[in-house]
PDB file of all heavy atoms in Angstrom:
ATOM      1  N   ALA E   1       4.185  36.234  11.426  1.00 95.00           N
ATOM      2  CA  ALA E   1       4.186  34.806  11.584  1.00 95.00           C
ATOM      3  C   ALA E   1       5.152  34.319  12.646  1.00 95.00           C
ATOM      4  O   ALA E   1       4.832  33.250  13.297  1.00 95.00           O
ATOM      5  CB  ALA E   1       4.629  34.152  10.253  1.00 95.00           C
ATOM      6  N   ASP E   2       6.230  35.012  13.037  1.00 94.00           N
ATOM      7  CA  ASP E   2       7.023  34.501  14.077  1.00 94.00           C
ATOM      8  C   ASP E   2       6.249  34.275  15.492  1.00 94.00           C
ATOM      9  O   ASP E   2       6.697  33.567  16.235  1.00 94.00           O
ATOM     10  CB  ASP E   2       8.286  35.370  14.301  1.00 94.00           C
ATOM     11  CG  ASP E   2       9.288  35.111  13.422  1.00 94.00           C
ATOM     12  OD1 ASP E   2       9.276  34.235  12.558  1.00 94.00           O
ATOM     13  OD2 ASP E   2      10.371  35.984  13.409  1.00 94.00           O
ATOM     14  N   THR E   3       5.269  35.111  15.561  1.00 91.00           N
ATOM     15  CA  THR E   3       4.514  35.012  16.948  1.00 91.00           C
ATOM     16  C   THR E   3       3.737  33.663  17.037  1.00 91.00           C
ATOM     17  O   THR E   3       3.318  33.384  18.090  1.00 91.00           O
ATOM     18  CB  THR E   3       3.583  36.176  17.006  1.00 91.00           C
ATOM     19  OG1 THR E   3       2.519  36.130  16.022  1.00 91.00           O
ATOM     20  CG2 THR E   3       4.390  37.540  16.989  1.00 91.00           C
ATOM     21  N   ILE E   4       3.594  32.978  15.943  1.00 92.00           N
ATOM     22  CA  ILE E   4       2.893  31.609  16.003  1.00 92.00           C
ATOM     23  C   ILE E   4       3.661  30.509  15.499  1.00 92.00           C
ATOM     24  O   ILE E   4       3.145  29.503  14.869  1.00 92.00           O
ATOM     25  CB  ILE E   4       1.526  31.669  15.311  1.00 92.00           C
ATOM     26  CG1 ILE E   4       1.615  32.092  13.837  1.00 92.00           C
ATOM     27  CG2 ILE E   4       0.521  32.692  15.991  1.00 92.00           C
ATOM     28  CD1 ILE E   4       0.438  31.871  13.021  1.00 92.00           C
ATOM     29  N   LYS E   5       4.984  30.593  15.527  1.00 91.00           N
ATOM     30  CA  LYS E   5       5.917  29.672  15.007  1.00 91.00           C
ATOM     31  C   LYS E   5       5.533  28.131  15.436  1.00 91.00           C
ATOM     32  O   LYS E   5       5.737  27.262  14.655  1.00 91.00           O
ATOM     33  CB  LYS E   5       7.326  29.938  15.540  1.00 91.00           C
ATOM     34  CG  LYS E   5       8.218  30.589  14.499  1.00 91.00           C
ATOM     35  CD  LYS E   5       9.591  30.590  14.928  1.00 91.00           C
ATOM     36  CE  LYS E   5      10.495  31.082  13.746  1.00 91.00           C
ATOM     37  NZ  LYS E   5      11.807  31.438  14.101  1.00 91.00           N
ATOM     38  N   ASN E   6       4.977  28.145  16.641  1.00 89.00           N
ATOM     39  CA  ASN E   6       4.685  26.704  17.230  1.00 89.00           C
ATOM     40  C   ASN E   6       3.635  25.877  16.338  1.00 89.00           C
ATOM     41  O   ASN E   6       3.594  24.718  16.371  1.00 89.00           O
ATOM     42  CB  ASN E   6       4.352  26.676  18.608  1.00 89.00           C
ATOM     43  CG  ASN E   6       3.033  27.653  18.770  1.00 89.00           C
ATOM     44  OD1 ASN E   6       2.886  28.692  18.210  1.00 89.00           O
ATOM     45  ND2 ASN E   6       2.218  27.169  19.758  1.00 89.00           N
ATOM     46  N   ILE E   7       2.856  26.657  15.517  1.00 92.00           N
ATOM     47  CA  ILE E   7       1.845  25.943  14.671  1.00 92.00           C
ATOM     48  C   ILE E   7       2.036  26.105  13.248  1.00 92.00           C
ATOM     49  O   ILE E   7       1.275  25.554  12.493  1.00 92.00           O
ATOM     50  CB  ILE E   7       0.413  26.407  15.089  1.00 92.00           C
ATOM     51  CG1 ILE E   7       0.112  27.888  14.570  1.00 92.00           C
ATOM     52  CG2 ILE E   7       0.068  26.302  16.569  1.00 92.00           C
ATOM     53  CD1 ILE E   7      -1.260  28.289  14.589  1.00 92.00           C
ATOM     54  N   LEU E   8       3.108  26.675  12.865  1.00 94.00           N
ATOM     55  CA  LEU E   8       3.354  26.863  11.314  1.00 94.00           C
ATOM     56  C   LEU E   8       3.732  25.502  10.800  1.00 94.00           C
ATOM     57  O   LEU E   8       4.525  24.763  11.498  1.00 94.00           O
ATOM     58  CB  LEU E   8       4.561  27.892  11.133  1.00 94.00           C
ATOM     59  CG  LEU E   8       4.127  29.291  11.520  1.00 94.00           C
ATOM     60  CD1 LEU E   8       5.339  30.175  11.282  1.00 94.00           C
ATOM     61  CD2 LEU E   8       3.026  29.809  10.619  1.00 94.00           C
ATOM     62  N   PRO E   9       3.408  25.239   9.590  1.00 96.00           N
ATOM     63  CA  PRO E   9       3.834  23.971   8.930  1.00 96.00           C
ATOM     64  C   PRO E   9       5.263  24.018   8.706  1.00 96.00           C
ATOM     65  O   PRO E   9       5.935  25.063   8.517  1.00 96.00           O
ATOM     66  CB  PRO E   9       3.066  23.938   7.676  1.00 96.00           C
ATOM     67  CG  PRO E   9       2.286  25.112   7.572  1.00 96.00           C
ATOM     68  CD  PRO E   9       2.506  26.052   8.746  1.00 96.00           C
ATOM     69  N   GLU E  10       5.933  22.850   8.692  1.00 97.00           N
ATOM     70  CA  GLU E  10       7.344  22.735   8.435  1.00 97.00           C
ATOM     71  C   GLU E  10       7.733  23.293   7.070  1.00 97.00           C
ATOM     72  O   GLU E  10       8.715  24.038   6.881  1.00 97.00           O
ATOM     73  CB  GLU E  10       7.938  21.295   8.518  1.00 97.00           C
ATOM     74  CG  GLU E  10       8.115  20.812   9.973  1.00 97.00           C
ATOM     75  CD  GLU E  10       8.672  19.424   9.925  1.00 97.00           C
ATOM     76  OE1 GLU E  10       9.610  19.178   9.214  1.00 97.00           O
ATOM     77  OE2 GLU E  10       8.353  18.666  10.943  1.00 97.00           O
ATOM     78  N   GLU E  11       6.925  22.922   6.126  1.00 97.00           N
ATOM     79  CA  GLU E  11       7.106  23.503   4.683  1.00 97.00           C
ATOM     80  C   GLU E  11       6.476  24.717   4.517  1.00 97.00           C
ATOM     81  O   GLU E  11       5.189  24.806   4.550  1.00 97.00           O
ATOM     82  CB  GLU E  11       6.786  22.343   3.663  1.00 97.00           C
ATOM     83  CG  GLU E  11       7.512  21.108   3.713  1.00 97.00           C
ATOM     84  CD  GLU E  11       7.411  20.188   2.569  1.00 97.00           C
ATOM     85  OE1 GLU E  11       6.709  20.640   1.552  1.00 97.00           O
ATOM     86  OE2 GLU E  11       7.881  19.216   2.551  1.00 97.00           O
ATOM     87  N   ARG E  12       7.195  25.781   4.116  1.00 98.00           N
ATOM     88  CA  ARG E  12       6.694  27.137   4.043  1.00 98.00           C
ATOM     89  C   ARG E  12       7.797  28.022   3.389  1.00 98.00           C
ATOM     90  O   ARG E  12       8.997  27.647   3.414  1.00 98.00           O
ATOM     91  CB  ARG E  12       6.184  27.588   5.347  1.00 98.00           C
ATOM     92  CG  ARG E  12       7.096  27.902   6.402  1.00 98.00           C
ATOM     93  CD  ARG E  12       6.716  28.308   7.717  1.00 98.00           C
ATOM     94  NE  ARG E  12       7.846  28.749   8.615  1.00 98.00           N
ATOM     95  CZ  ARG E  12       8.416  27.886   9.463  1.00 98.00           C
ATOM     96  NH1 ARG E  12       8.142  26.614   9.428  1.00 98.00           N
ATOM     97  NH2 ARG E  12       9.484  28.330  10.145  1.00 98.00           N
ATOM     98  N   LEU E  13       7.330  29.256   3.190  1.00 98.00           N
ATOM     99  CA  LEU E  13       8.327  30.365   2.799  1.00 98.00           C
ATOM    100  C   LEU E  13       8.305  31.430   3.819  1.00 98.00           C
ATOM    101  O   LEU E  13       7.236  31.977   4.069  1.00 98.00           O
ATOM    102  CB  LEU E  13       7.896  30.876   1.513  1.00 98.00           C
ATOM    103  CG  LEU E  13       8.909  31.754   0.788  1.00 98.00           C
ATOM    104  CD1 LEU E  13      10.160  31.089   0.332  1.00 98.00           C
ATOM    105  CD2 LEU E  13       8.242  32.457  -0.459  1.00 98.00           C
ATOM    106  N   ASP E  14       9.547  31.633   4.412  1.00 98.00           N
ATOM    107  CA  ASP E  14       9.649  32.875   5.351  1.00 98.00           C
ATOM    108  C   ASP E  14      10.251  33.953   4.632  1.00 98.00           C
ATOM    109  O   ASP E  14      11.197  33.809   3.987  1.00 98.00           O
ATOM    110  CB  ASP E  14      10.535  32.456   6.567  1.00 98.00           C
ATOM    111  CG  ASP E  14       9.954  31.402   7.375  1.00 98.00           C
ATOM    112  OD1 ASP E  14       8.729  31.179   7.381  1.00 98.00           O
ATOM    113  OD2 ASP E  14      10.680  30.709   8.231  1.00 98.00           O
ATOM    114  N   ILE E  15       9.763  35.072   4.807  1.00 98.00           N
ATOM    115  CA  ILE E  15      10.312  36.388   4.311  1.00 98.00           C
ATOM    116  C   ILE E  15      10.425  37.427   5.456  1.00 98.00           C
ATOM    117  O   ILE E  15       9.393  37.751   6.037  1.00 98.00           O
ATOM    118  CB  ILE E  15       9.417  36.956   3.189  1.00 98.00           C
ATOM    119  CG1 ILE E  15       9.201  35.979   1.984  1.00 98.00           C
ATOM    120  CG2 ILE E  15      10.125  38.268   2.548  1.00 98.00           C
ATOM    121  CD1 ILE E  15       8.370  36.384   0.895  1.00 98.00           C
ATOM    122  N   LYS E  16      11.671  37.827   5.682  1.00 98.00           N
ATOM    123  CA  LYS E  16      11.946  38.839   6.751  1.00 98.00           C
ATOM    124  C   LYS E  16      12.147  40.194   5.994  1.00 98.00           C
ATOM    125  O   LYS E  16      13.019  40.239   5.184  1.00 98.00           O
ATOM    126  CB  LYS E  16      13.047  38.417   7.512  1.00 98.00           C
ATOM    127  CG  LYS E  16      13.588  39.416   8.455  1.00 98.00           C
ATOM    128  CD  LYS E  16      12.963  39.315   9.757  1.00 98.00           C
ATOM    129  CE  LYS E  16      13.500  40.257  10.732  1.00 98.00           C
ATOM    130  NZ  LYS E  16      12.807  40.610  11.863  1.00 98.00           N
ATOM    131  N   PHE E  17      11.391  41.183   6.347  1.00 98.00           N
ATOM    132  CA  PHE E  17      11.653  42.509   5.747  1.00 98.00           C
ATOM    133  C   PHE E  17      12.403  43.385   6.674  1.00 98.00           C
ATOM    134  O   PHE E  17      12.081  43.475   7.859  1.00 98.00           O
ATOM    135  CB  PHE E  17      10.259  43.231   5.645  1.00 98.00           C
ATOM    136  CG  PHE E  17       9.224  42.597   4.588  1.00 98.00           C
ATOM    137  CD1 PHE E  17       8.729  41.212   4.834  1.00 98.00           C
ATOM    138  CD2 PHE E  17       9.104  43.240   3.423  1.00 98.00           C
ATOM    139  CE1 PHE E  17       7.851  40.762   3.783  1.00 98.00           C
ATOM    140  CE2 PHE E  17       8.241  42.643   2.421  1.00 98.00           C
ATOM    141  CZ  PHE E  17       7.733  41.459   2.589  1.00 98.00           C
ATOM    142  N   LYS E  18      13.514  44.032   6.138  1.00 97.00           N
ATOM    143  CA  LYS E  18      14.303  44.825   6.872  1.00 97.00           C
ATOM    144  C   LYS E  18      14.264  46.231   6.304  1.00 97.00           C
ATOM    145  O   LYS E  18      14.646  46.360   5.016  1.00 97.00           O
ATOM    146  CB  LYS E  18      15.772  44.312   7.005  1.00 97.00           C
ATOM    147  CG  LYS E  18      16.011  43.043   7.728  1.00 97.00           C
ATOM    148  CD  LYS E  18      17.413  42.577   7.719  1.00 97.00           C
ATOM    149  CE  LYS E  18      17.484  41.287   8.536  1.00 97.00           C
ATOM    150  NZ  LYS E  18      18.958  40.793   8.486  1.00 97.00           N
ATOM    151  N   VAL E  19      13.935  47.337   7.089  1.00 96.00           N
ATOM    152  CA  VAL E  19      14.044  48.657   6.615  1.00 96.00           C
ATOM    153  C   VAL E  19      15.425  49.144   6.525  1.00 96.00           C
ATOM    154  O   VAL E  19      16.161  49.087   7.544  1.00 96.00           O
ATOM    155  CB  VAL E  19      13.142  49.566   7.473  1.00 96.00           C
ATOM    156  CG1 VAL E  19      13.159  51.113   6.966  1.00 96.00           C
ATOM    157  CG2 VAL E  19      11.734  49.129   7.344  1.00 96.00           C
ATOM    158  N   VAL E  20      16.014  49.438   5.370  1.00 95.00           N
ATOM    159  CA  VAL E  20      17.456  49.945   5.275  1.00 95.00           C
ATOM    160  C   VAL E  20      17.507  51.467   4.703  1.00 95.00           C
ATOM    161  O   VAL E  20      18.491  51.893   4.485  1.00 95.00           O
ATOM    162  CB  VAL E  20      18.338  49.043   4.502  1.00 95.00           C
ATOM    163  CG1 VAL E  20      18.470  47.720   5.176  1.00 95.00           C
ATOM    164  CG2 VAL E  20      17.766  48.859   3.074  1.00 95.00           C
ATOM    165  N   GLY E  21      16.338  52.072   4.436  1.00 93.00           N
ATOM    166  CA  GLY E  21      16.260  53.433   3.950  1.00 93.00           C
ATOM    167  C   GLY E  21      14.736  53.786   3.830  1.00 93.00           C
ATOM    168  O   GLY E  21      13.926  53.023   4.156  1.00 93.00           O
ATOM    169  N   GLU E  22      14.593  55.074   3.432  1.00 92.00           N
ATOM    170  CA  GLU E  22      13.094  55.533   3.461  1.00 92.00           C
ATOM    171  C   GLU E  22      12.334  54.634   2.617  1.00 92.00           C
ATOM    172  O   GLU E  22      11.136  54.293   2.968  1.00 92.00           O
ATOM    173  CB  GLU E  22      13.171  57.003   2.910  1.00 92.00           C
ATOM    174  CG  GLU E  22      11.762  57.625   2.983  1.00 92.00           C
ATOM    175  CD  GLU E  22      11.656  58.970   2.572  1.00 92.00           C
ATOM    176  OE1 GLU E  22      12.731  59.677   2.674  1.00 92.00           O
ATOM    177  OE2 GLU E  22      10.665  59.470   2.148  1.00 92.00           O
ATOM    178  N   ASN E  23      12.703  54.254   1.475  1.00 93.00           N
ATOM    179  CA  ASN E  23      11.934  53.386   0.473  1.00 93.00           C
ATOM    180  C   ASN E  23      12.642  52.053   0.378  1.00 93.00           C
ATOM    181  O   ASN E  23      12.119  51.191  -0.492  1.00 93.00           O
ATOM    182  CB  ASN E  23      11.629  54.076  -0.791  1.00 93.00           C
ATOM    183  CG  ASN E  23      10.860  55.330  -0.658  1.00 93.00           C
ATOM    184  OD1 ASN E  23       9.729  55.257   0.063  1.00 93.00           O
ATOM    185  ND2 ASN E  23      11.228  56.464  -1.045  1.00 93.00           N
ATOM    186  N   LYS E  24      13.761  51.778   0.846  1.00 96.00           N
ATOM    187  CA  LYS E  24      14.641  50.782   0.452  1.00 96.00           C
ATOM    188  C   LYS E  24      14.337  49.544   1.557  1.00 96.00           C
ATOM    189  O   LYS E  24      14.425  49.847   2.736  1.00 96.00           O
ATOM    190  CB  LYS E  24      16.041  51.154   0.486  1.00 96.00           C
ATOM    191  CG  LYS E  24      17.074  50.095  -0.090  1.00 96.00           C
ATOM    192  CD  LYS E  24      18.334  50.670  -0.240  1.00 96.00           C
ATOM    193  CE  LYS E  24      19.238  49.766  -0.979  1.00 96.00           C
ATOM    194  NZ  LYS E  24      20.617  50.480  -1.233  1.00 96.00           N
ATOM    195  N   ARG E  25      14.148  48.371   1.041  1.00 97.00           N
ATOM    196  CA  ARG E  25      13.923  47.319   1.966  1.00 97.00           C
ATOM    197  C   ARG E  25      14.904  46.016   1.572  1.00 97.00           C
ATOM    198  O   ARG E  25      15.031  45.895   0.341  1.00 97.00           O
ATOM    199  CB  ARG E  25      12.480  46.627   1.949  1.00 97.00           C
ATOM    200  CG  ARG E  25      11.476  47.724   2.314  1.00 97.00           C
ATOM    201  CD  ARG E  25      11.552  48.303   3.688  1.00 97.00           C
ATOM    202  NE  ARG E  25      10.448  49.179   3.975  1.00 97.00           N
ATOM    203  CZ  ARG E  25      10.539  50.432   3.953  1.00 97.00           C
ATOM    204  NH1 ARG E  25      11.658  51.031   3.654  1.00 97.00           N
ATOM    205  NH2 ARG E  25       9.462  51.203   4.317  1.00 97.00           N
ATOM    206  N   VAL E  26      15.401  45.297   2.521  1.00 97.00           N
ATOM    207  CA  VAL E  26      16.072  43.952   2.226  1.00 97.00           C
ATOM    208  C   VAL E  26      15.191  42.956   2.678  1.00 97.00           C
ATOM    209  O   VAL E  26      14.661  42.964   3.897  1.00 97.00           O
ATOM    210  CB  VAL E  26      17.557  44.027   2.931  1.00 97.00           C
ATOM    211  CG1 VAL E  26      18.022  42.573   2.762  1.00 97.00           C
ATOM    212  CG2 VAL E  26      18.460  44.956   2.274  1.00 97.00           C
ATOM    213  N   LEU E  27      14.847  42.050   1.763  1.00 98.00           N
ATOM    214  CA  LEU E  27      14.031  40.925   2.141  1.00 98.00           C
ATOM    215  C   LEU E  27      14.961  39.684   2.156  1.00 98.00           C
ATOM    216  O   LEU E  27      15.564  39.355   1.173  1.00 98.00           O
ATOM    217  CB  LEU E  27      12.903  40.689   0.974  1.00 98.00           C
ATOM    218  CG  LEU E  27      11.653  41.630   1.012  1.00 98.00           C
ATOM    219  CD1 LEU E  27      12.191  43.031   0.934  1.00 98.00           C
ATOM    220  CD2 LEU E  27      10.708  41.172   0.102  1.00 98.00           C
ATOM    221  N   VAL E  28      14.869  39.076   3.322  1.00 98.00           N
ATOM    222  CA  VAL E  28      15.593  37.762   3.488  1.00 98.00           C
ATOM    223  C   VAL E  28      14.558  36.623   3.373  1.00 98.00           C
ATOM    224  O   VAL E  28      13.623  36.520   4.186  1.00 98.00           O
ATOM    225  CB  VAL E  28      16.304  37.777   4.860  1.00 98.00           C
ATOM    226  CG1 VAL E  28      17.042  36.471   5.044  1.00 98.00           C
ATOM    227  CG2 VAL E  28      17.316  38.954   4.970  1.00 98.00           C
ATOM    228  N   ILE E  29      14.791  35.838   2.212  1.00 98.00           N
ATOM    229  CA  ILE E  29      13.787  34.882   1.935  1.00 98.00           C
ATOM    230  C   ILE E  29      14.284  33.410   2.155  1.00 98.00           C
ATOM    231  O   ILE E  29      15.444  33.116   1.710  1.00 98.00           O
ATOM    232  CB  ILE E  29      13.444  34.905   0.464  1.00 98.00           C
ATOM    233  CG1 ILE E  29      12.925  36.346   0.198  1.00 98.00           C
ATOM    234  CG2 ILE E  29      12.483  33.835   0.068  1.00 98.00           C
ATOM    235  CD1 ILE E  29      12.790  36.709  -1.262  1.00 98.00           C
ATOM    236  N   THR E  30      13.627  32.697   3.052  1.00 98.00           N
ATOM    237  CA  THR E  30      14.140  31.367   3.443  1.00 98.00           C
ATOM    238  C   THR E  30      13.039  30.319   3.067  1.00 98.00           C
ATOM    239  O   THR E  30      11.987  30.341   3.700  1.00 98.00           O
ATOM    240  CB  THR E  30      14.384  31.350   4.966  1.00 98.00           C
ATOM    241  OG1 THR E  30      15.256  32.254   5.299  1.00 98.00           O
ATOM    242  CG2 THR E  30      14.992  30.028   5.296  1.00 98.00           C
ATOM    243  N   PRO E  31      13.361  29.374   2.119  1.00 98.00           N
ATOM    244  CA  PRO E  31      12.454  28.364   1.801  1.00 98.00           C
ATOM    245  C   PRO E  31      12.675  27.166   2.757  1.00 98.00           C
ATOM    246  O   PRO E  31      13.732  26.796   3.158  1.00 98.00           O
ATOM    247  CB  PRO E  31      12.813  27.953   0.395  1.00 98.00           C
ATOM    248  CG  PRO E  31      14.290  28.249   0.290  1.00 98.00           C
ATOM    249  CD  PRO E  31      14.450  29.456   1.163  1.00 98.00           C
ATOM    250  N   HIS E  32      11.571  26.541   3.091  1.00 98.00           N
ATOM    251  CA  HIS E  32      11.437  25.399   4.001  1.00 98.00           C
ATOM    252  C   HIS E  32      10.738  24.270   3.239  1.00 98.00           C
ATOM    253  O   HIS E  32       9.621  24.397   3.123  1.00 98.00           O
ATOM    254  CB  HIS E  32      10.857  25.593   5.394  1.00 98.00           C
ATOM    255  CG  HIS E  32      11.598  26.725   6.144  1.00 98.00           C
ATOM    256  ND1 HIS E  32      12.651  26.411   6.897  1.00 98.00           N
ATOM    257  CD2 HIS E  32      11.278  28.020   6.309  1.00 98.00           C
ATOM    258  CE1 HIS E  32      12.938  27.490   7.504  1.00 98.00           C
ATOM    259  NE2 HIS E  32      12.105  28.633   7.124  1.00 98.00           N
TER     260      HIS E  32
END
């Protein structure tokens, strides 16, 4: 979604996935 930020609605839920291990992920969740 970051590639089309210019057309995204102001109100939305952003979730960033970060790989921190073979099966482990940290999800950074930002509500707008």
Side-chain angles (χ1 to χ4, degrees):
D2 277 353
T3 63
I4 60 165
K5 258 188 173 170
N6 59 323
I7 67 163
L8 293 176
E10 281 186 37
E11 294 197 6
R12 64 184 191 273
L13 186 67
D14 289 343
I15 304 176
K16 172 86 172 162
F17 290 73
K18 295 181 182 179
V19 177
V20 294
E22 186 174 335
N23 295 310
K24 192 173 189 174
R25 306 293 186 260
V26 172
L27 282 64
V28 179
I29 302 167
T30 308
H32 299 278

